[in-house]
Amino acid sequence: MSWCEGVEEPRVLVAPDPGSSGNGLGRMVLLRHPKSGNATQYLFVNSVLQELQWFKNSYGSWFLGDYVTEDGRLYLSTPIDPVFIMLPIFDEARMKKGDEPGKFRQLDEILFVDQFPDYHQLLLTVENCMQVVCNVKEVGSSKFFRLDDSKVLRWLCYKVYQLKETLPKLDKNYAVQGEKETLLDAVSILGEYLKDEPWLKLLCDHLKLNILEVNGKAETSAEGTNNSHLCNDLQERSDEKKASNVSAKRGRPSKKVKMETESHNIKDMFTRATRKKS
């Protein structure tokens, strides 16, 4: 069975080799994004959960063995703390009402998420990592978990501190800005994985930050990404317009670029070319 089971089309992914360390087991898992709740693919390799990032130039494709694949995107997998992914799941599972702390539940119950069976693939990993933000009771051989707000807040503050210390080492722009700006940046990065209620608001209140400022930074970052895509679109339209003008001057109608819809065997392409010459 392929370690990348679940991937139907060829893609180029830079990820740890599951066979070089660990048991060589891995697969794609479908989970809910902790911020939006949307179905999102993650890579689960050797008990490590990784999120997928991708980058693509305006034009590009890949030579994969004897084939050309249209999708020129480069995918990268980076480790993500499973606690972020599990926070909304454990929050719902405790069925908290008002100021009540909620109920203790077994992991099998907590990880039973309608339409998302892959959560059970993470059971052992979740059992180890969620104890840092949960109260745990043991009854015989069974463990019962309940999310604890104060533990979650301490864990989030620790993550903010780590980011705040790391950012100036990654980029000189962070090194020259003020402490509050760096703090806002750190919280806004974490905010990409946290729902506004209750976690991001709880964190902002504790750090005496305005949640609107934090979300504003995140939106500015998102706009920057969209502008990058917009530039690519404008460049493509500009190239099409130039091609149209050249064709018009020659008295011929412009031809639309025909997009590749599937992969082709390179050997077959050269075989056809050889036959035409003969």
Side-chain angles (χ1 to χ4, degrees), residues 166-220:
T166 302
L167 287 176
K169 301 174 184 177
L170 298 177
D171 193 316
K172 62 182 180 181
N173 292 325
Y174 289 113
V176 298
Q177 70 181 12
E179 185 174 344
K180 183 180 179 181
E181 282 296 310
T182 305
L183 180 61
L184 278 170
D185 285 329
V187 175
S188 69
I189 291 173
L190 290 185
E192 296 178 12
Y193 302 91
L194 300 171
K195 289 183 178 292
D196 286 0
E197 291 285 350
W199 309 120
L200 187 56
K201 185 178 185 305
L202 181 68
L203 180 61
C204 288
D205 289 346
H206 179 76
L207 298 175
K208 295 180 173 56
L209 296 176
N210 189 331
I211 191 172
L212 296 178
E213 286 187 82
V214 172
N215 284 332
K217 271 194 167 289
E219 289 173 4
T220 301

Side-chain angles (χ1 to χ4, degrees), residues 18-117:
S20 61
S21 61
N23 53 21
L25 298 178
R27 61 173 296 159
M28 302 296 292
V29 292
L30 187 67
L31 309 172
R32 280 164 41 183
H33 190 276
K35 177 82 170 181
S36 66
N38 295 334
T40 306
Q41 290 276 6
Y42 293 88
L43 183 63
F44 190 52
V45 181
N46 293 329
S47 301
V48 177
L49 188 64
Q50 305 198 31
E51 63 177 337
L52 300 177
Q53 314 283 351
W54 62 268
F55 169 80
K56 183 182 180 182
N57 287 317
S58 299
Y59 304 98
S61 57
W62 290 102
F63 290 93
L64 301 177
D66 292 337
Y67 294 86
V68 178
T69 184
E70 176 189 349
D71 188 350
R73 283 176 287 190
L74 174 65
Y75 290 83
L76 303 172
S77 72
T78 54
I80 181 173
D81 194 324
V83 176
F84 284 111
I85 306 299
M86 294 299 159
L87 271 180
I89 305 301
F90 275 66
D91 187 32
E92 294 172 7
R94 62 180 170 171
M95 296 183 285
K96 183 179 178 181
K97 295 181 181 179
D99 295 331
E100 295 179 2
K103 299 180 179 181
F104 282 88
R105 307 280 296 279
Q106 287 184 285
L107 280 182
D108 279 341
E109 295 179 304
I110 295 173
L111 297 182
F112 182 79
V113 182
D114 189 32
Q115 299 181 358
F116 292 89

Side-chain angles (χ1 to χ4, degrees), residues 186-278:
V187 175
S188 69
I189 291 173
L190 290 185
E192 296 178 12
Y193 302 91
L194 300 171
K195 289 183 178 292
D196 286 0
E197 291 285 350
W199 309 120
L200 187 56
K201 185 178 185 305
L202 181 68
L203 180 61
C204 288
D205 289 346
H206 179 76
L207 298 175
K208 295 180 173 56
L209 296 176
N210 189 331
I211 191 172
L212 296 178
E213 286 187 82
V214 172
N215 284 332
K217 271 194 167 289
E219 289 173 4
T220 301
S221 176
E223 286 175 2
T225 303
N226 291 335
N227 286 339
S228 175
H229 291 304
L230 180 60
C231 289
N232 291 338
D233 292 339
L234 292 175
Q235 181 64 42
E236 290 176 5
R237 292 177 184 177
S238 175
D239 293 341
E240 290 176 3
K241 186 175 181 181
K242 289 178 183 177
S244 177
N245 291 337
V246 171
S247 298
K249 289 179 181 179
R250 293 177 180 175
R252 293 195 300 255
S254 60
K255 293 183 179 180
K256 294 183 179 180
V257 179
K258 184 178 180 181
M259 299 299 295
E260 296 274 345
T261 57
E262 57 183 5
S263 299
H264 300 280
N265 191 306
I266 296 175
K267 292 179 179 178
D268 291 343
M269 295 164 63
F270 284 111
T271 300
R272 288 197 296 272
T274 305
R275 288 173 180 170
K276 287 181 180 179
K277 289 182 180 179
S278 61

Side-chain angles (χ1 to χ4, degrees), residues 127-143:
E127 181 177 359
N128 293 328
C129 73
M130 289 304 290
Q131 296 190 42
V132 71
V133 291
C134 289
N135 293 322
V136 182
K137 285 185 177 181
E138 294 190 33
V139 180
S141 60
S142 300
K143 287 185 178 180

